[in-house]
Amino acid sequence: PQSKAFNLGILTGGMNTALPPNLIADTEAQLIRNYEYDHGRLRTRGGYGSALITLDGDTIESFFYDKNTEAYILFGATPTVTTDTAKVYVAYVGGTVTNVGKLTGREIPCCVRFGANIIIASGGKLQYYSFTANTLTTISAGYLFDNIFVRDSRLLASQRGDDKMYCSSTGDATSDEAWKEDTNVSSQMQWFEIGQLDGGDIITVLPLAGDLIVFKTSGKVYRISGHCPDYSVDEIGTDSHAVDYKRAFTVVGASILFVTDLGIRALETIQEYGNFSANETCYKINKNISSKIYNPKIWNLLTKRQAVTCPDSTNTKLMYVYQYDSDMAYELEFAGSINDMSETDN
């Protein structure tokens, strides 16, 4: 019998659809699917394991993993009835699942640990889960928020449609007193405006190095420097093309990767802020990513050095992976939908 030898190459250049097939490098391929790079070696991706946690009669739409307790805060499916909100569950691997209540809003929840509690923002009133009491409590004071994070022992919060950034009182974010403004007391709740006349809404705010970066629907990007209440706001970019969806952003080291209608871009460290046209990343597969953008999500899997992007929320079986430690990319296709992901300690 006759045989023919094929030289497959080492494919360390990853997937490349930015160029015609005859122009890509010998180390690249037009399609690399369901493989991943492991310390420079190309290997098949891992398969599914058995379910760690299952909800009875509900679907896990998103979740938050708390490394301190190894607990999972699970958020069920958003009801079709617009006046209803998703259920909130707390679970441990190998343990029981407890329904602790419902969200106050219908936005994708944003969660942070603040002291001993997990604070949740979903577009309604803030809530916090207490591990000690195993309860979900709504903070009646304050405002409506969909994005939160911790900086300088305060909870910083924003809401789409509002140009203001709010800072809780120092060391407190769960009491009614934490959200009472007193301009004469610097440790009390403070707020400041960001680009109030640019005609855009805040999409998201992310901490980067010692600054805060604000993306707005106007395409403008702002840098907030200093410390509350002495913040200064500077416009550092225009025409970002950022997609109006807060899950389309992730911090990777000293950069922010974000999904745009042109593919994935990067806002680099402070010294390189400015013209976004020079900051395209993952360019080899941006043609694929930008072919259909709808409520995209991007995750940073730090231990794998991977930025994983789902560009189309109507097809959560297809993911694109940017291996940022070696500047290569490939795609993954799963048998079932992937709604959310996170790295865990176990």
Side-chain angles (χ1 to χ4, degrees):
Q2 292 183 340
S3 63
K4 186 176 182 179
F6 291 89
N7 181 10
L8 296 178
I10 56 176
L11 298 180
T12 53
M15 188 169 149
N16 187 348
T17 58
L19 296 173
N22 61 313
L23 295 181
I24 65 175
D26 292 338
T27 57
E28 298 173 336
Q30 283 273 295
L31 176 63
I32 300 177
R33 177 182 293 164
N34 288 340
Y35 287 84
E36 64 178 355
Y37 286 89
D38 181 19
H39 299 288
R41 297 175 301 168
L42 187 65
R43 54 179 292 181
T44 55
R45 70 161 175 84
Y48 288 124
S50 58
L52 300 176
I53 301 170
T54 303
L55 297 185
D56 186 15
D58 205 346
T59 301
I60 300 174
E61 197 167 271
S62 64
F63 68 90
F64 173 79
Y65 172 71
D66 180 54
K67 291 186 177 181
N68 291 34
T69 61
E70 296 188 351
Y72 291 82
I73 313 296
L74 310 173
F75 304 102
T78 303
T80 55
V81 179
T82 57
T83 55
D84 201 1
T85 57
K87 294 179 180 179
V88 182
Y89 306 85
V90 177
Y92 297 85
V93 174
T96 59
V97 179
T98 305
N99 179 5
V100 294
K102 285 188 172 185
L103 295 172
T104 57
R106 290 172 57 86
E107 298 295 322
I108 295 176
C110 180
C111 305
V112 297
R113 173 175 272 273
F114 191 90
N117 302 313
I118 303 298
I119 301 185
I120 304 170
S122 60
K125 292 282 188 177
L126 289 177
Q127 297 170 281
Y128 68 92
Y129 173 73
S130 167
F131 288 98
T132 304
N134 192 30
T135 55
L136 181 68
T137 303
T138 299
I139 303 171
S140 57
Y143 304 84
L144 308 182
F145 298 125
D146 61 11
N147 189 50
I148 53 175
F149 53 92
V150 178
R151 177 61 63 96
D152 296 331
S153 299
R154 297 177 185 257
L155 186 75
L156 274 64
S158 64
Q159 168 80 342
R160 178 180 167 79
D162 190 343
D163 290 322
K164 298 184 181 68
M165 173 70 68
Y166 296 84
C167 310
S168 74
S169 63
T170 303
D172 181 16
T174 58
S175 72
D176 289 348
E177 188 68 24
W179 298 100
K180 290 182 179 178
E181 181 184 3
D182 188 341
T183 56
N184 296 317
V185 181
S186 61
S187 61
Q188 279 297 109
M189 190 272 283
Q190 307 285 333
W191 61 267
F192 55 97
E193 292 187 302
I194 305 168
Q196 60 268 32
L197 299 178
D198 67 8
D201 293 329
I202 294 175
I203 304 174
T204 192
V205 183
L206 299 101
L208 183 65
D211 297 330
L212 305 174
I213 307 299
V214 182
F215 289 84
K216 300 193 70 176
T217 57
S218 60
K220 293 191 175 184
V221 184
Y222 296 87
R223 179 181 63 198
I224 304 172
S225 54
H227 301 276
C228 187
D230 301 317
Y231 282 127
S232 63
V233 180
D234 299 298
E235 181 183 311
I236 59 171
T238 60
D239 198 22
S240 70
H241 288 269
V243 174
D244 184 12
Y245 197 64
K246 68 181 180 181
R247 292 293 300 271
F249 303 78
T250 191
V251 177
V252 176
S255 303
I256 294 174
L257 298 187
F258 58 101
V259 184
T260 76
D261 56 352
L262 305 173
I264 298 178
R265 289 186 170 186
L267 179 67
E268 305 292 345
T269 52
I270 295 173
Q271 289 79 8
E272 298 181 25
Y273 289 155
N275 189 349
F276 285 93
S277 63
N279 292 339
E280 181 183 10
T281 191
C282 206
Y283 71 95
K284 292 181 182 180
I285 60 167
N286 273 339
K287 178 181 177 181
N288 302 61
I289 292 174
S290 61
S291 63
K292 185 176 182 182
I293 299 287
Y294 178 74
N295 290 350
K297 300 176 184 178
I298 185 169
W299 300 267
N300 177 20
L301 303 184
L302 182 59
T303 59
K304 287 179 169 288
R305 305 296 191 267
Q306 296 174 352
V308 182
T309 303
C310 176
D312 178 14
S313 287
T314 65
N315 180 17
T316 55
K317 297 179 181 180
L318 181 63
M319 307 280 169
Y320 292 94
V321 180
Y322 174 53
Q323 194 77 41
Y324 51 77
D325 61 339
S326 51
D327 194 28
M328 61 182 67
Y330 44 93
E331 70 176 46
L332 302 178
E333 188 170 32
F334 296 89
S337 297
I338 307 296
N339 293 334
D340 205 353
M341 65 179 71
S342 175
E343 291 190 307
T344 65
D345 291 334
N346 54 1

